[in-house]
Short mmCIF file of all heavy atoms in Angstrom, two decimals:
data_model
loop_
_atom_site.label_atom_id
_atom_site.label_comp_id
_atom_site.label_asym_id
_atom_site.label_seq_id
_atom_site.Cartn_x
_atom_site.Cartn_y
_atom_site.Cartn_z
N VAL A 24 -76.73 11.21 66.89
CA VAL A 24 -78.10 11.67 67.12
C VAL A 24 -78.05 12.00 68.74
O VAL A 24 -78.93 12.82 69.10
CB VAL A 24 -79.13 10.68 66.80
CG1 VAL A 24 -79.22 10.58 65.35
CG2 VAL A 24 -78.99 9.32 67.44
N SER A 25 -77.19 11.41 69.51
CA SER A 25 -77.11 11.77 70.89
C SER A 25 -75.67 11.49 71.26
O SER A 25 -75.02 10.50 70.78
CB SER A 25 -77.99 10.87 71.88
OG SER A 25 -79.40 11.20 71.80
N GLY A 26 -75.13 12.58 72.13
CA GLY A 26 -73.76 12.28 72.52
C GLY A 26 -73.50 12.93 73.89
O GLY A 26 -74.13 14.01 73.94
N LEU A 27 -72.92 12.29 74.69
CA LEU A 27 -72.74 12.77 76.10
C LEU A 27 -71.65 11.98 76.96
O LEU A 27 -71.13 10.95 76.32
CB LEU A 27 -73.98 12.69 76.74
CG LEU A 27 -74.89 11.53 76.74
CD1 LEU A 27 -74.32 10.24 77.47
CD2 LEU A 27 -76.40 11.67 77.29
N TYR A 28 -71.49 12.45 78.14
CA TYR A 28 -70.57 11.70 79.08
C TYR A 28 -71.40 10.69 79.80
O TYR A 28 -72.46 11.12 80.37
CB TYR A 28 -69.77 12.74 80.05
CG TYR A 28 -69.14 12.05 81.15
CD1 TYR A 28 -68.00 11.21 80.83
CD2 TYR A 28 -69.58 12.17 82.43
CE1 TYR A 28 -67.26 10.73 81.82
CE2 TYR A 28 -68.82 11.54 83.56
CZ TYR A 28 -67.76 10.92 83.16
OH TYR A 28 -66.88 10.12 84.10
N ALA A 29 -71.08 9.50 79.79
CA ALA A 29 -71.72 8.45 80.48
C ALA A 29 -70.96 8.15 81.88
O ALA A 29 -70.07 7.37 81.92
CB ALA A 29 -71.85 7.16 79.68
N PRO A 30 -71.49 8.77 83.00
CA PRO A 30 -70.84 8.54 84.20
C PRO A 30 -70.67 7.19 84.72
O PRO A 30 -69.60 6.99 85.31
CB PRO A 30 -71.79 9.32 85.16
CG PRO A 30 -72.59 10.28 84.33
CD PRO A 30 -72.80 9.63 83.08
N SER A 31 -71.49 6.26 84.51
CA SER A 31 -71.38 5.01 85.05
C SER A 31 -70.28 4.24 84.30
O SER A 31 -69.84 3.27 84.81
CB SER A 31 -72.72 4.13 84.87
OG SER A 31 -73.87 4.75 85.45
N LEU A 32 -69.95 4.60 83.11
CA LEU A 32 -68.78 4.03 82.33
C LEU A 32 -67.56 4.91 82.32
O LEU A 32 -66.55 4.43 81.92
CB LEU A 32 -69.27 3.74 80.91
CG LEU A 32 -70.24 2.60 80.56
CD1 LEU A 32 -71.72 3.14 80.99
CD2 LEU A 32 -70.21 2.03 79.31
N ASP A 33 -67.73 6.11 82.78
CA ASP A 33 -66.67 7.01 82.63
C ASP A 33 -66.00 7.22 81.33
O ASP A 33 -64.91 7.10 81.03
CB ASP A 33 -65.45 6.68 83.65
CG ASP A 33 -64.42 7.77 83.86
OD1 ASP A 33 -64.78 8.97 83.54
OD2 ASP A 33 -63.26 7.51 84.11
N LYS A 34 -67.01 7.33 80.31
CA LYS A 34 -66.71 7.36 78.82
C LYS A 34 -67.62 8.37 78.24
O LYS A 34 -68.64 8.64 78.70
CB LYS A 34 -66.91 6.02 78.10
CG LYS A 34 -66.07 4.93 78.57
CD LYS A 34 -66.33 3.68 77.69
CE LYS A 34 -65.49 2.46 78.01
NZ LYS A 34 -65.77 1.29 77.31
N TYR A 35 -67.16 8.97 77.10
CA TYR A 35 -67.88 9.83 76.30
C TYR A 35 -68.41 8.84 75.16
O TYR A 35 -67.68 8.15 74.46
CB TYR A 35 -67.06 11.01 75.57
CG TYR A 35 -66.85 12.11 76.64
CD1 TYR A 35 -65.71 12.15 77.36
CD2 TYR A 35 -67.89 13.06 76.71
CE1 TYR A 35 -65.49 13.24 78.19
CE2 TYR A 35 -67.67 14.06 77.70
CZ TYR A 35 -66.57 14.23 78.38
OH TYR A 35 -66.34 15.14 79.26
N CYS A 36 -69.77 8.85 75.04
CA CYS A 36 -70.44 7.97 74.13
C CYS A 36 -71.42 8.67 73.19
O CYS A 36 -71.75 9.79 73.43
CB CYS A 36 -71.21 6.97 74.97
SG CYS A 36 -70.15 5.95 76.03
N ALA A 37 -71.74 7.88 72.13
CA ALA A 37 -72.68 8.51 71.16
C ALA A 37 -73.53 7.42 70.61
O ALA A 37 -73.18 6.28 70.52
CB ALA A 37 -71.96 9.10 70.01
N ASN A 38 -74.78 7.85 70.09
CA ASN A 38 -75.77 7.00 69.46
C ASN A 38 -75.63 7.64 67.95
O ASN A 38 -75.64 8.86 67.67
CB ASN A 38 -77.03 6.99 69.94
CG ASN A 38 -77.22 6.05 71.20
OD1 ASN A 38 -76.42 5.17 71.32
ND2 ASN A 38 -78.12 6.34 72.01
N ALA A 39 -75.74 6.71 66.97
CA ALA A 39 -75.77 7.19 65.70
C ALA A 39 -76.51 6.03 64.80
O ALA A 39 -76.55 4.88 65.03
CB ALA A 39 -74.33 7.42 64.96
N TYR A 40 -77.08 6.52 63.59
CA TYR A 40 -77.67 5.56 62.74
C TYR A 40 -76.60 5.26 61.55
O TYR A 40 -76.05 6.23 60.92
CB TYR A 40 -78.88 6.11 61.98
CG TYR A 40 -80.17 5.98 63.00
CD1 TYR A 40 -80.50 6.94 63.88
CD2 TYR A 40 -80.80 4.77 62.95
CE1 TYR A 40 -81.59 6.81 64.78
CE2 TYR A 40 -81.90 4.52 63.87
CZ TYR A 40 -82.25 5.58 64.69
OH TYR A 40 -83.29 5.41 65.59
N LEU A 41 -76.36 3.93 61.53
CA LEU A 41 -75.33 3.64 60.58
C LEU A 41 -75.82 2.52 59.62
O LEU A 41 -76.58 1.65 60.02
CB LEU A 41 -74.06 3.02 61.36
CG LEU A 41 -73.46 4.15 62.44
CD1 LEU A 41 -72.53 3.33 63.21
CD2 LEU A 41 -72.92 5.31 61.84
N PRO A 42 -75.04 2.26 58.51
CA PRO A 42 -75.37 1.10 57.66
C PRO A 42 -75.13 -0.25 58.67
O PRO A 42 -74.09 -0.12 59.35
CB PRO A 42 -74.27 1.13 56.52
CG PRO A 42 -74.03 2.49 56.39
CD PRO A 42 -74.08 3.08 57.79
N PRO A 43 -75.95 -1.18 58.50
CA PRO A 43 -75.85 -2.39 59.35
C PRO A 43 -74.54 -3.00 59.43
O PRO A 43 -74.07 -3.54 60.45
CB PRO A 43 -76.94 -3.29 58.86
CG PRO A 43 -77.86 -2.36 58.20
CD PRO A 43 -77.09 -1.35 57.65
N SER A 44 -73.66 -2.95 58.28
CA SER A 44 -72.40 -3.58 58.15
C SER A 44 -71.32 -2.93 59.09
O SER A 44 -70.29 -3.56 59.41
CB SER A 44 -71.88 -3.57 56.71
OG SER A 44 -71.80 -2.24 56.27
N TYR A 45 -71.70 -1.71 59.67
CA TYR A 45 -70.77 -1.02 60.45
C TYR A 45 -71.23 -1.10 61.94
O TYR A 45 -70.49 -0.42 62.88
CB TYR A 45 -70.58 0.48 60.13
CG TYR A 45 -69.88 0.55 58.90
CD1 TYR A 45 -70.65 1.01 57.73
CD2 TYR A 45 -68.49 0.55 58.74
CE1 TYR A 45 -70.09 1.22 56.41
CE2 TYR A 45 -67.92 0.76 57.48
CZ TYR A 45 -68.63 1.14 56.39
OH TYR A 45 -67.95 1.29 55.19
N THR A 46 -72.30 -1.93 62.34
CA THR A 46 -72.87 -1.82 63.60
C THR A 46 -72.41 -3.10 64.48
O THR A 46 -72.91 -3.18 65.68
CB THR A 46 -74.38 -1.79 63.58
OG1 THR A 46 -74.79 -3.09 62.96
CG2 THR A 46 -74.92 -0.43 62.84
N ARG A 47 -71.59 -3.83 64.09
CA ARG A 47 -71.01 -4.96 64.90
C ARG A 47 -70.27 -4.49 65.98
O ARG A 47 -69.32 -3.60 65.85
CB ARG A 47 -70.33 -6.05 64.06
CG ARG A 47 -69.84 -7.20 64.73
CD ARG A 47 -69.08 -8.06 63.82
NE ARG A 47 -68.66 -9.34 64.48
CZ ARG A 47 -69.38 -10.43 64.37
NH1 ARG A 47 -70.31 -10.50 63.74
NH2 ARG A 47 -68.91 -11.49 65.03
N ALA A 48 -70.46 -4.95 67.26
CA ALA A 48 -69.67 -4.56 68.45
C ALA A 48 -68.16 -4.82 68.14
O ALA A 48 -67.74 -5.82 67.71
CB ALA A 48 -70.16 -5.15 69.65
N GLY A 49 -67.38 -3.87 68.39
CA GLY A 49 -65.87 -3.98 68.31
C GLY A 49 -65.42 -3.32 67.08
O GLY A 49 -64.24 -3.12 66.84
N THR A 50 -66.27 -2.85 66.12
CA THR A 50 -65.86 -2.19 64.86
C THR A 50 -65.25 -0.78 65.20
O THR A 50 -66.02 -0.02 65.84
CB THR A 50 -67.13 -2.02 63.90
OG1 THR A 50 -67.69 -3.29 63.67
CG2 THR A 50 -66.80 -1.30 62.63
N GLU A 51 -64.16 -0.48 64.71
CA GLU A 51 -63.63 0.81 64.94
C GLU A 51 -63.96 1.71 63.83
O GLU A 51 -63.84 1.45 62.65
CB GLU A 51 -62.07 0.69 65.04
CG GLU A 51 -61.56 -0.01 66.32
CD GLU A 51 -60.20 0.42 66.78
OE1 GLU A 51 -59.66 1.59 66.31
OE2 GLU A 51 -59.57 -0.28 67.58
N LEU A 52 -64.35 2.94 64.16
CA LEU A 52 -64.82 4.02 63.25
C LEU A 52 -64.20 5.27 63.72
O LEU A 52 -63.36 5.36 64.65
CB LEU A 52 -66.37 4.03 63.19
CG LEU A 52 -67.19 2.84 62.87
CD1 LEU A 52 -68.67 2.99 63.06
CD2 LEU A 52 -66.78 2.51 61.39
N GLY A 53 -64.62 6.39 63.18
CA GLY A 53 -64.16 7.78 63.52
C GLY A 53 -65.42 8.66 63.61
O GLY A 53 -66.37 8.52 63.04
N ILE A 54 -65.26 9.60 64.49
CA ILE A 54 -66.18 10.77 64.71
C ILE A 54 -65.44 11.98 64.48
O ILE A 54 -64.54 12.28 65.13
CB ILE A 54 -66.95 10.70 66.02
CG1 ILE A 54 -67.68 9.30 66.24
CG2 ILE A 54 -67.87 11.94 66.27
CD1 ILE A 54 -68.34 9.22 67.51
N SER A 55 -65.96 12.82 63.69
CA SER A 55 -65.31 14.04 63.18
C SER A 55 -65.88 15.21 64.21
O SER A 55 -67.03 15.47 64.26
CB SER A 55 -65.66 14.54 61.87
OG SER A 55 -65.18 15.79 61.59
N LEU A 56 -65.05 15.58 65.08
CA LEU A 56 -65.35 16.73 65.99
C LEU A 56 -64.95 17.96 65.50
O LEU A 56 -63.61 18.30 65.68
CB LEU A 56 -64.68 16.38 67.46
CG LEU A 56 -65.42 15.49 68.43
CD1 LEU A 56 -65.58 14.05 67.74
CD2 LEU A 56 -64.66 15.40 69.68
N ARG A 57 -65.70 18.59 64.83
CA ARG A 57 -65.36 19.87 64.15
C ARG A 57 -64.09 19.81 63.32
O ARG A 57 -63.23 20.65 63.36
CB ARG A 57 -65.24 21.05 65.23
CG ARG A 57 -66.50 21.33 65.98
CD ARG A 57 -66.30 22.34 66.90
NE ARG A 57 -67.58 22.66 67.58
CZ ARG A 57 -67.61 23.67 68.55
NH1 ARG A 57 -66.59 24.37 68.97
NH2 ARG A 57 -68.77 23.93 69.23
N GLY A 58 -63.98 18.75 62.48
CA GLY A 58 -63.02 18.51 61.64
C GLY A 58 -61.80 17.74 62.24
O GLY A 58 -60.92 17.23 61.37
#
């Protein structure tokens, strides 16, 4: 729902709505960038 470069962390980050079981910190997921 939001994605950008976070300068204070020097990382590309995103916000997303997910099932609660996938929202624990440290959970590894994937993001499809145009396939």
